Amino acid sequence: MPETGPHTPATARRRADFSVQKMPGFAAIAIACFVILYAPIITLVIYSFNAGQSVALWQGFSVKWYYIALENRAVQEAALRSLIIAASASAISSVVATMAAIGTTRTGAFKGRTAIYLLINQPLMVPEIVTAVALLIFFASIKVATGYGGLGYLIVAHAAFCVPFAYLPIRARLEGMDATLELAAADLYATPWLAFRRITLPLLAPGIAAGAMLAFVISLDDVIITEFVKSAGQDTLPTYMLGQLRRAITPEVNAISTALLALTLVLLSVFFVLTRARESRSD
Amino acid sequence: MANGKASVAVAARGVSKIFGSGSNEVRALDDVSLDIRTNEFFTLLGPSGCGKTTLLRLVAGFESPTRGSIFLDGEDITAEPPNRRPVNTVFQSYALFPHLTVAQNVAFGLEMLGRPRKEISDTVARMLALVRMEQLANRATSQISGGQQQRVALARALAPRPKVLLLDEPLSALDLKLRKEMQIELKRLQTETGITFIFVTHDQEEALTMSDRIAVMSAGRILQIGSPEEIYNHPAGRFVASFIGESNFFEGTVHNVRGNSVEIRMPSGDMVTAHSLSGKPEGSVTFAVRPEHVRLEQFGTSGTLAATVTDSVYFGTDTHCHLELDGGERLVARLQNKVSGGPGYEKGMRAGVRFDDGAAQVLAD
Ligand SMILES: Nc1ncnc2c1ncn2[C@@H]1O[C@H](COP(=O)(O)OP(=O)(O)OP(=O)(O)O)[C@@H](O)[C@H]1O
Ligand SMILES: [Mg+2]
């Protein structure tokens, strides 16, 4: 004890010296990062309330660009289309992701499991532009064969790239779930379907909701694949905005972006609440 | 109760279970056959990893045997899924459904069986009363104590009136006091419901106090099946003799066999009469004697083995006397203490060792 006594303060001081927060430039780098990340967004939000025509010159506060955006038929249609696609893609991808998650966590080790993971996560690994071109060509031939030209193509494309995003939270929740509960249900005379309906599904619900939410946000935001796959007159909000930027830029684009940002923030907050609920429930 | 005519609830015939393959192969059960009688409290006892849980899971239907068959009331159920076996399990982790209340947990099995609503609520009330949990019927399962969760798990498994109840170390998560209470409670429930219990434990005392019969397992095999007295007084082999209670082991040569009684000559030349469970032992054998069946007498008394006290340890109710026979064998004698004090054998003293009649037991291995 007397041996180690004198050493302790020195060791403690040395550890404090090595703390990242004490390193020179830490504060400056941190501030720079925050500015680069958030200053553009803050500017965008501020100028959505600009009374003038410019996105760079402040001419007083107004919410008129929100009115203008709301009354613009093209914006209304694009927003509705975005919501329809996002909702459908989110629904389809969370069903597929739930089945995939159960298949990969509740079957024990099987051959080709890694291959399955790669397959499910393909959209995360293949460059989006490649997928976009591939889908364009693939859907074009289907279009020729069937003559169908509706929103179905966009919905299918979005559902496909949303699957890995829906899959991750669902799988995390399933892995955190005690598999004995399902055995207990079977032991108490539940058929496999009833065990799923009465035990697995209710316990998995927050995970599925979180996955669906994430998929919705990802779909809402997509530009590249949508731009390639859409037919004429099938603009979503992001592709509509892209089109606008090629012409005159007004704070109307800022207003739409801010609205999109607000919606995304709300959905992501719900997502975090849902995943947090999992952590506190599982112990 | 345990007569040969009693009907068999669960039977295993030549059951083996192998996990993995090739070099990772684990033989969890190796050619196990046994009969568990209707209405009996049957215990699987053995050290960790000996295959107790595996055997229970095979009866429940969570695993299927690599070889062999499982029968319930004489019917082959080997291929039946768990939800079609009238057998319920109390899991070691309880596995209560966290999104359901206590009462909903207990009702689950009956609902799955499609029983009428009235019958379900009556049975749930009766089961909760049986385990003394009426007050907490509408609690969430996360808001009750470990002992209470244990009771709910029991009520849930008993509610559908299974033919057999499987219990996998249900008491191991409880503290000592609660554990003793639940041991008595379990025994009461088994008598009141008349359901066959298959109980898994690695606690020998628990097995001895609660069971009608015990199967001692080791490394995937059943070594001996018998009543607690049979297992304790007449262990079949060295493993059983040392796993259940303590034993002194001695070597000797068979001199004479008369029925179950065997005369054994010890290396020192002394003769000891031992009991043999089966067969006709011959040549050199091992026999076991429980420390409490060893008595010490005056050194030199005829018919006793000459020994020296090497140590004497006071334990309150008794004193453990460590001895060395003149032939070199070491043994422990457990001697009852009196109000007047210990047995009075101190380190270095000479004594005569005598085994109680029938205390020496010939072992099969
Ligand atoms: N699913 C499995 N995969 C591979 N090996 C297994 C599996 N289940 C059990 N085993 C092995 O089978 C053997 C018996 O296991 P089991 O769980 O039946 O033992 P146990 O007697 O219940 O032990 P404990 O007292 O520790 O619960 C062990 O060696 C174990 O490692
Ligand atoms: Mg076990």
Side-chain angles (χ1 to χ4, degrees), chain A residues 271-283:
Chain A
F271 170 82
F272 277 113
V273 169
L274 286 171
T275 37
R276 190 63 59 83
R278 170 185 78 232
E279 279 152 22
S280 54
R281 265 276 280 282
S282 62
D283 47 46

Side-chain angles (χ1 to χ4, degrees), chain B residues 165-283:
Chain B
L165 188 72
L166 309 175
L167 304 104
D168 192 356
E169 308 205 27
L171 308 183
S172 62
L174 306 179
D175 62 44
L176 189 67
K177 185 166 168 292
L178 205 51
R179 206 182 159 117
K180 296 278 176 213
E181 277 174 34
M182 283 307 297
Q183 286 179 4
I184 295 165
E185 192 95 329
L186 269 182
K187 194 69 194 168
R188 175 182 70 88
L189 282 175
Q190 197 260 331
T191 327
E192 279 180 20
T193 58
I195 291 173
T196 309
F197 276 33
I198 307 182
F199 182 85
V200 162
T201 182
H202 58 246
D203 180 333
Q204 44 130 334
E205 189 188 314
E206 204 164 274
L208 291 173
T209 55
M210 299 174 75
S211 319
D212 293 320
R213 286 195 309 152
I214 299 171
V216 184
M217 295 181 65
S218 169
R221 291 178 162 275
I222 292 185
L223 300 182
Q224 189 174 5
I225 300 179
S227 68
E229 292 84 357
E230 282 165 358
I231 298 268
Y232 189 82
N233 288 332
H234 305 297
R238 190 181 260 270
F239 179 87
V240 178
S242 58
F243 188 73
I244 296 162
E246 284 158 40
S247 281
N248 299 302
F249 296 103
F250 304 95
E251 310 287 330
T253 331
V254 175
H255 178 70
N256 189 12
V257 181
R258 214 176 311 113
N260 279 338
S261 181
V262 186
E263 269 199 272
I264 296 169
R265 184 193 300 278
M266 298 192 48
S268 57
D270 292 305
M271 300 298 286
V272 172
T273 308
H275 178 273
S276 171
L277 259 189
S278 59
K280 259 190 165 316
E282 50 184 11

Side-chain angles (χ1 to χ4, degrees), chain A:
Chain A
M1 211 47 185
E3 265 277 314
T4 56
H7 286 289
T8 322
T11 331
R13 198 177 322 119
R14 191 155 327 131
R15 198 165 299 140
D17 289 347
F18 273 106
S19 147
V20 173
Q21 292 154 44
K22 293 273 165 71
M23 286 188 174
F26 175 80
I29 292 171
I31 290 169
C33 286
F34 275 109
V35 168
I36 292 164
L37 278 176
Y38 291 104
I41 293 175
I42 292 167
T43 320
L44 172 119
V45 172
I46 291 173
Y47 277 94
S48 73
F49 296 105
N50 194 359
Q53 287 279 335
S54 167
V55 293
L57 184 69
W58 185 253
Q59 287 168 295
F61 180 85
S62 155
V63 290
K64 74 170 187 186
W65 292 111
Y66 286 88
Y67 279 116
I68 290 170
L70 272 179
E71 302 208 320
N72 184 340
R73 264 207 85 88
V75 172
Q76 289 172 1
E77 279 170 12
L80 184 65
R81 211 170 281 123
S82 272
L83 291 179
I84 289 173
I85 294 171
S88 315
S90 153
I92 297 170
S93 60
S94 36
V95 170
V96 172
T98 303
M99 296 194 290
I102 290 173
T104 49
T105 55
R106 286 293 185 268
T107 45
F110 58 89
K111 253 193 209 143
R113 196 157 158 171
T114 321
I116 299 263
Y117 284 140
L118 289 176
L119 218 68
I120 293 166
N121 291 319
Q122 175 269 352
L124 297 181
M125 292 172 294
V126 175
E128 200 178 346
I129 188 77
V130 173
T131 312
V133 173
L135 284 175
L136 172 71
I137 296 165
F138 183 61
F139 286 155
S141 54
I142 295 182
K143 237 177 253 183
V144 169
T146 63
Y148 172 71
L151 275 185
Y153 298 109
L154 277 174
I155 292 175
V156 169
H158 278 229
F161 72 75
C162 284
V163 165
F165 296 96
Y167 174 74
L168 290 176
I170 297 174
R171 186 182 135 198
R173 176 132 189 132
L174 256 182
E175 279 177 345
M177 217 174 104
D178 182 3
T180 356
L181 294 179
E182 286 151 25
L183 284 188
D187 189 59
L188 292 162
Y189 314 106
T191 57
W193 165 247
L194 274 177
F196 176 75
R197 259 279 296 114
R198 297 286 305 272
I199 305 301
T200 318
L201 194 58
L203 291 172
L204 196 55
I208 297 176
M213 214 75 81
L214 206 55
F216 190 90
V217 169
I218 298 288
S219 159
L220 205 58
D221 170 59
D222 181 73
V223 175
I224 302 177
I225 288 179
T226 314
E227 190 69 42
F228 276 73
V229 170
K230 76 182 168 79
S231 313
Q234 287 190 338
D235 265 321
T236 61
L237 264 188
T239 60
Y240 170 79
M241 286 157 67
L242 190 65
Q244 288 302 298
L245 292 182
R246 295 199 188 107
R247 297 175 210 136
I249 308 178
T250 64
E252 186 184 357
V253 172
N254 294 41
I256 299 169
S257 304
T258 307
L260 214 48
L261 177 68
L263 178 61
T264 307
L265 282 181
V266 168
L267 290 175
L268 287 182
S269 314
V270 176
F271 170 82
F272 277 113
V273 169
L274 286 171
T275 37
R276 190 63 59 83
R278 170 185 78 232
E279 279 152 22
S280 54
R281 265 276 280 282
S282 62
D283 47 46

Side-chain angles (χ1 to χ4, degrees), chain B residues 17 19-20 24 26-29 46-55 57 63 92 168-169 200-202 217:
Chain B
K17 177 69 189 176
F19 290 108
N24 311 328
V26 178
R27 193 173 286 261
L29 288 177
S48 188
C50 70
K52 308 179 294 289
T53 298
T54 304
L55 186 51
R57 289 169 65 88
E63 308 272 2
Q92 182 166 0
D168 192 356
E169 308 205 27
V200 162
T201 182
H202 58 246
M217 295 181 65

Side-chain angles (χ1 to χ4, degrees), chain B residues 70-204:
Chain B
I70 310 267
F71 298 85
L72 182 69
D73 284 351
E75 225 176 289
D76 189 336
I77 55 162
T78 318
E80 292 285 310
N83 54 308
R84 290 226 292 268
R85 298 185 185 198
V87 165
N88 289 148
T89 307
V90 177
F91 293 86
Q92 182 166 0
S93 58
Y94 310 146
L96 297 179
F97 304 128
H99 58 304
L100 303 180
T101 64
V102 166
Q104 287 167 338
N105 263 281
V106 178
F108 189 85
L110 296 163
E111 282 174 19
M112 293 299 115
L113 288 171
R115 294 283 160 74
R117 188 163 291 178
K118 176 85 176 72
E119 187 194 324
I120 294 179
S121 60
D122 289 352
T123 311
V124 169
R126 204 150 32 76
M127 285 303 139
L128 288 176
L130 192 66
V131 297
R132 303 184 178 126
M133 285 286 295
E134 309 95 308
Q135 262 84 47
L136 302 177
N138 296 315
R139 281 278 186 91
T141 54
S142 55
Q143 289 167 352
I144 55 176
S145 73
Q148 291 168 337
Q149 289 182 16
Q150 161 77 78
R151 286 160 202 268
V152 176
L154 261 169
R156 183 179 74 174
L158 284 170
R161 272 209 74 81
K163 288 187 172 153
V164 178
L165 188 72
L166 309 175
L167 304 104
D168 192 356
E169 308 205 27
L171 308 183
S172 62
L174 306 179
D175 62 44
L176 189 67
K177 185 166 168 292
L178 205 51
R179 206 182 159 117
K180 296 278 176 213
E181 277 174 34
M182 283 307 297
Q183 286 179 4
I184 295 165
E185 192 95 329
L186 269 182
K187 194 69 194 168
R188 175 182 70 88
L189 282 175
Q190 197 260 331
T191 327
E192 279 180 20
T193 58
I195 291 173
T196 309
F197 276 33
I198 307 182
F199 182 85
V200 162
T201 182
H202 58 246
D203 180 333
Q204 44 130 334

